Amino acid sequence: MTSESTTDTNDYALEPVPESAQTSGVAVGMINGALAFAVPGLITGIEIGEALGFWESLAAFLVGGLILAFFGTVTALVGRANRLTSFVTIRHVFGVWGAKLVSFCFVLSLLGWYGVNLDLFALATNGLLVDYLSITFNSSAIEWGVSAVIVITTLYGFQRMEKLSTWLVPIMGVVTLFLLIKSAMAMESSGGLAAVEPTMSFGTAVSAVVGSFIVSIVLLPDLARFCRTKRDAWSASFIPFFLLSTFVYIAASLAANVFGSDDILALMVKVGLGLAAFVLLICSSWLTNVLNLYSASLGAAAVINGGKQKVLIIAMGVMGAVASSLNLLDSFSEFLFSLSIMFTPVAAIYCADFFILRKQAVYRTDDFIPSFNISAIAAWITGILFTFTSVETGLFITPIEAIDALIVSLVSYLILSYIARAFGTNISNRASNTSGATVSTRSSIDSNTDSRTDNPIKNSTKRENP
């Protein structure tokens, strides 16, 4: 899930952010922090909590949160050093068409989140109708009808929805705290938690936690480019990805284990929230999908080099409604796991490129950019295939699949890049002289290839979590 500023201010989409536009890490971190309180975050905590039990899920949340925070810090440092958007950064590493391929995959993930949130909206709406009017509607009809409303809202009321988010997020934070307190009180009065037979491996649970925010991690340079200092880059990562998201996951997991339910609506009712829970869930799903739809349209514009934004928003709305028919909510943990395997390698590759191959020499608009960086594409595919086939092959590096994807893709990229250099090819899009300095040739960036804009003070985020 992501959001973009719709203002006409200069958001430096194709140029480095100047010092006058830089801000604190706390301000940047709170943008992604808002996403932690969206309903999918609660669902993540519930599903992992039910699968592992509270105490083991607590460990998974902490480990996954630390991985996200440290990995996010590295991607934030890339953004802070270069002051460029994630798309421009990925373009330098993967090549012009390689970056389009990556962006296309991001659009698919956003449509997946869109479908999940439509499912949540239909679930909350029918729950409200049953409890107060004793009627229900066809879920597919609700999803398509709501998608139409979301499309209209995105086309004509996006800025108002941005303002609504500033009110909704603190309320969701209070609701989550209330859920945690009530669950802890119920646990104390019942004498503890019942033992749970795990139905998910610890490594898969950690990978699901990583997957919940991996899109935000990969695209964190969009926000971190506004950070003043390296310490601000740390804050921009640890606040949302470790502190706030872990808090939400723990609250949801405890509630699921105490009350023995995986239904977020039922849990809210059991702690005494009642009608407020339904309204908040509906508003949260609506708001989140407006942001997802807008960002998906921008990603699609980057892939096809432009296009009328209104047409793209409508098209993405239709595709998102189709995605809701896939019932991703029924296999939510698997969806998150897949995201972690798909996108962790992307961040690993561009971090390796910047910190190891370039030795932190910043990307410049006059760098030569090929159509494809074969080394980056091959390493990305290698990391994905290795991890998805590890169960069949029995090959594991660590117990955590997302870490395996990171290691394999990073090492593969370095090996392929060094081989390319050794054979004097331009596959890796890098040429080094004897002093280690990077030699580049001029090539202007086509402004139509990057439709993403970001302003951390206003509302720009690129996320995953839901």
Side-chain angles (χ1 to χ4, degrees):
M1 296 180 292
T2 68
S3 66
E4 305 282 350
S5 172
T6 57
T7 63
D8 295 328
T9 60
N10 184 2
D11 290 323
Y12 315 104
L14 296 173
E15 59 186 297
V17 173
E19 185 175 353
S20 60
Q22 294 165 24
T23 186
S24 71
V26 174
V28 172
M30 288 308 296
I31 297 170
N32 270 322
L35 303 174
F37 294 105
V39 177
L42 295 169
I43 300 294
T44 302
I46 289 172
E47 293 216 353
I48 296 176
E50 270 209 320
L52 293 182
F54 176 70
W55 297 110
E56 193 168 355
S57 70
L58 173 61
F61 299 145
L62 293 173
V63 172
L66 285 173
I67 292 172
L68 284 171
F70 279 110
F71 197 22
T73 298
V74 177
T75 62
L77 289 172
V78 173
R80 186 250 168 201
N82 290 284
R83 306 292 183 189
L84 297 172
T85 66
S86 59
F87 182 80
V88 174
T89 300
I90 291 172
R91 197 172 186 268
H92 276 272
V93 180
F94 283 79
V96 175
W97 284 95
K100 290 179 183 294
L101 176 61
V102 174
S103 292
F104 175 74
C105 291
F106 281 127
V107 170
L108 291 181
S109 73
L110 287 168
L111 293 178
W113 281 119
Y114 189 92
V116 166
N117 277 285
L118 281 183
D119 285 343
L120 286 170
F121 196 105
L123 181 66
T125 300
N126 267 328
L128 183 65
L129 292 173
V130 168
D131 280 10
Y132 291 92
L133 298 176
S134 298
I135 60 173
T136 60
F137 286 113
N138 179 272
S139 294
S140 294
I142 294 176
E143 289 164 357
W144 279 92
V146 169
S147 186
V149 173
I150 290 172
V151 167
I152 294 171
T153 303
T154 308
L155 289 172
Y156 302 107
F158 187 81
Q159 290 180 323
R160 292 185 180 89
M161 293 300 291
E162 286 185 303
K163 293 177 181 178
L164 174 62
S165 69
T166 63
W167 291 93
L168 184 61
V169 168
I171 295 173
M172 287 298 294
V174 172
V175 167
T176 305
L177 179 61
F178 187 79
L179 180 67
L180 178 62
I181 293 173
K182 284 288 189 178
S183 300
M185 292 171 60
M187 180 182 69
E188 185 177 357
S189 63
S190 64
L193 298 172
V196 173
E197 185 67 29
T199 59
M200 177 188 296
S201 71
F202 182 79
T204 299
V206 172
S207 293
V209 173
V210 173
S212 66
F213 267 110
I214 192 59
V215 176
S216 293
I217 294 295
V218 177
L219 302 177
L220 190 55
D222 289 325
L223 301 179
R225 63 198 174 109
F226 289 88
C227 290
R228 293 193 186 99
T229 66
K230 291 182 179 180
R231 180 176 295 181
D232 287 322
W234 280 84
S235 300
S237 180
F238 268 82
I239 288 173
F241 304 133
F242 181 69
L243 295 179
L244 297 181
S245 63
T246 302
F247 163 65
V248 173
Y249 296 155
I250 290 173
S253 175
L254 183 61
N257 280 276
V258 168
F259 297 109
S261 174
D262 62 355
D263 186 339
I264 183 62
L265 297 174
L267 290 174
M268 292 290 194
V269 170
K270 285 182 179 180
V271 298
L273 288 170
L275 179 61
F278 292 107
V279 174
L280 286 172
L281 290 175
I282 289 173
C283 289
S284 176
S285 298
W286 179 25
L287 172 63
T288 302
N289 257 3
V290 169
L291 304 180
N292 281 335
L293 182 58
Y294 186 75
S295 294
S297 69
L298 293 177
V303 172
I304 65 175
N305 280 1
K308 293 183 178 180
Q309 188 176 8
K310 288 186 176 182
V311 174
L312 290 175
I313 288 174
I314 294 171
M316 292 299 103
V318 172
M319 294 175 66
V322 172
S324 69
S325 66
L326 301 177
N327 296 319
L328 292 175
L329 190 59
D330 293 338
S331 53
F332 189 58
S333 296
E334 291 82 358
F335 173 62
L336 295 180
F337 175 81
S338 298
L339 289 181
S340 71
I341 305 309
M342 180 71 69
F343 294 121
T344 297
V346 175
I349 289 167
Y350 74 64
C351 288
D353 187 87
F354 178 70
F355 286 106
I356 300 175
L357 295 184
R358 295 184 65 95
K359 296 179 173 60
Q360 301 187 54
V362 299
Y363 300 109
R364 301 184 184 281
T365 56
D366 59 357
D367 284 347
F368 170 73
I369 303 176
S371 295
F372 284 100
N373 178 353
I374 304 300
S375 296
I377 299 295
W380 182 30
I381 295 173
T382 300
I384 293 171
L385 291 179
F386 177 90
T387 311
F388 274 125
T389 60
S390 58
V391 174
E392 289 76 14
T393 62
L395 296 176
F396 296 93
I397 301 174
T398 71
I400 303 171
E401 290 90 340
I403 297 299
D404 283 3
L406 186 157
I407 294 172
V408 171
S409 57
L410 188 152
V411 172
S412 298
Y413 180 60
L414 293 178
I415 291 174
L416 291 171
S417 296
Y418 287 132
I419 290 174
R421 286 183 177 184
F423 282 90
T425 68
N426 195 40
I427 291 176
S428 65
N429 186 28
R430 302 289 179 268
S432 300
N433 58 25
T434 56
S435 65
T438 300
V439 179
S440 61
T441 59
R442 294 189 174 271
S443 176
S444 62
I445 293 181
D446 179 1
S447 61
N448 286 332
T449 61
D450 188 1
S451 303
R452 302 179 186 275
T453 59
D454 309 278
N455 187 332
I457 303 302
K458 295 291 183 184
N459 181 40
S460 119
T461 92
K462 294 260 195 319
R463 84 197 177 97
E464 110 108 83
N465 181 344

